[in-house]
Amino acid sequence: MDLEAYISAYTGPTRATRLQFIARTSPELRSDAIRLLFQELRSGNNITKFKDAWAEFNNEEIGFDAATTAWLAEKEKTFHEKLSNLNQLKSLGSKDNTRIVFQDLGHLYLEAGDLQNAFESFSKMRENCSTSNHLTNACLQIIHVCCEMNQFQPIGGHASKMESTCDVADKSLMASARASSGLFFLHATNYRMAASKFLDCTVDVNGTFNFVMTGADVATYAVLCALATYDRSDLRTHVLEKQSFRSLLELVPNVREILNSFYESRYSSCLHALEKLRATLQLDLYISPHISTLIADIRRKAMIQYIYPFSSVVLDHMATNFATTRPVLETELCDLIANKKIRAVIDAVDGILYSREEDPSVATFEKLTALSNKYERNTIALLFRAQCVRCHLSLRPTREWFGHDSTVDDTR
């Protein structure tokens, strides 16, 4: 991976956050990631992350000089001067001026790496909003801070608020709101809803939401979540034939090829390409915790679709198509059978899987049994009610139930 080209697609604090994540995750890229991380931090004002990274990665190959301490002191002095000036302006001016002050405070804290104070400042900025544009901007800033804090639970509410108040004509903001919702559902492991939200994004998200994720990231997340949860008709309708998503999909040709291979039942090339992509996706800040689960789900769906048209399948041929061995394939198929994903039996001697179609007579018998049980319960209830009336054990309605005081005349 070309780290410099990769990180150049992002803006803001997420550049350092992603480099720090790669340095922790990849032994091969650790040295380059640390070098680029400190270059990034030295060019900015994030003194909190600089100190954390220095404590985590400081070793002989970094080679800090004595000027680092003086540089940090100068950055902290500048930060406190700006903070003092903004604090003096809090109680001055109108509500809109107060909103602007809290917005500037939030950006100041965010640049310095003080995420908790940044979150509180942007939250107070939201409280002082007077227009829908101000509100959507405040929600977007809060989402940004939540992503940096790695706290995704608050994102859902703010993203929904953005979608409901955002001007439909502002495609960039709307795409950012939907991408935020997708990120919320992704981390909630609701991959189907995540796919739906990411697929609703347009190419306008590329370049306007890069302080969290790029358009290529959105397209990749959308396709992987869709492959793991959508059936063939959904893939065709909501992914392949969706015009608004097609431009976004063009940003990731390798992911588009995976999608086409899966839909065209070229499972061997699809899974092979997925495995090649796994190494890169494991370095992604947001999809990496889910990539193993998503690829496993996609593999299981591919197996189910491979088996579905046939009454019997030769296991050796299937193992070749799925780039695995027959014993491993048998284990995977047994799991699918046990979890009732497929109805089949395995002939381990001849190496053949036989599909078991549902017997219509069994289904008919089960329906008849359920109907007879219901009829029996209703008949017993009616007989019991008739016996209670016959023995004068039933309660008679009173006129009070109808707005009167005396008992209903029951001479009939």
Side-chain angles (χ1 to χ4, degrees), residues 151-372:
Q151 294 182 6
F152 299 96
Q153 190 61 36
I155 291 178
H158 292 292
S160 298
K161 190 66 175 178
M162 277 188 70
E163 287 190 74
S164 62
T165 58
C166 181
D167 186 357
V168 179
D170 194 339
K171 295 182 179 180
S172 298
L173 267 180
M174 183 61 73
S176 298
R178 289 167 178 169
S180 301
S181 292
L183 191 59
F184 166 74
F185 286 114
L186 175 66
H187 283 269
T189 65
N190 188 343
Y191 300 130
R192 187 173 181 86
M193 279 299 299
S196 176
K197 290 296 183 179
F198 286 132
L199 288 167
D200 284 339
C201 295
T202 61
V203 74
D204 301 281
V205 75
N206 193 40
T208 59
F209 200 50
N210 289 17
F211 51 84
V212 176
M213 65 180 77
T214 64
D217 293 333
V218 173
T220 302
Y221 301 167
V223 170
L224 291 177
C225 291
L227 287 176
T229 56
Y230 283 9
D231 57 28
R232 288 182 63 83
S233 62
D234 287 337
L235 283 176
R236 183 182 66 254
T237 305
H238 301 298
V239 186
L240 291 168
E241 296 178 354
K242 192 164 190 175
Q243 296 294 332
S244 60
F245 183 71
R246 192 169 289 180
S247 299
L248 205 56
L249 192 58
E250 294 295 327
L251 299 174
V252 279
N254 54 340
V255 175
R256 183 188 60 203
E257 182 59 29
I258 289 171
L259 173 64
N260 290 331
S261 297
F262 186 91
Y263 186 75
E264 295 169 5
S265 301
R266 293 184 282 115
Y267 301 120
S268 178
S269 59
C270 171
L271 296 174
H272 178 69
L274 268 177
E275 287 301 324
K276 285 180 62 178
L277 190 62
R278 183 196 289 264
T280 302
L281 295 176
Q282 285 176 336
L283 302 179
D284 185 271
L285 191 60
Y286 301 124
I287 198 81
S288 56
H290 311 275
I291 189 60
S292 296
T293 301
L294 287 171
I295 290 179
D297 288 346
I298 293 170
R299 183 178 176 85
R300 281 191 287 268
K301 278 196 65 182
M303 287 184 173
I304 294 169
Q305 291 189 12
Y306 182 91
I307 294 167
Y308 179 75
F310 305 107
S311 59
S312 63
V313 176
V314 178
L315 295 183
D316 289 331
H317 294 168
M318 186 175 178
T320 302
N321 288 329
F322 281 85
T324 187
T325 61
R326 179 174 154 183
V328 173
L329 178 63
E330 288 182 359
T331 302
E332 291 180 293
L333 291 174
C334 286
D335 289 339
L336 290 176
I337 295 170
N339 293 323
K340 298 183 179 180
K341 299 296 183 181
I342 57 174
R343 295 178 60 86
V345 292
I346 298 174
D347 184 344
V349 176
D350 294 331
I352 299 176
L353 179 139
Y354 294 99
S355 296
R356 294 176 58 188
E357 296 182 0
E358 186 175 354
D359 189 349
S361 62
V362 174
T364 303
F365 177 77
E366 290 176 351
K367 289 181 180 179
L368 287 173
T369 303
L371 285 172
S372 64

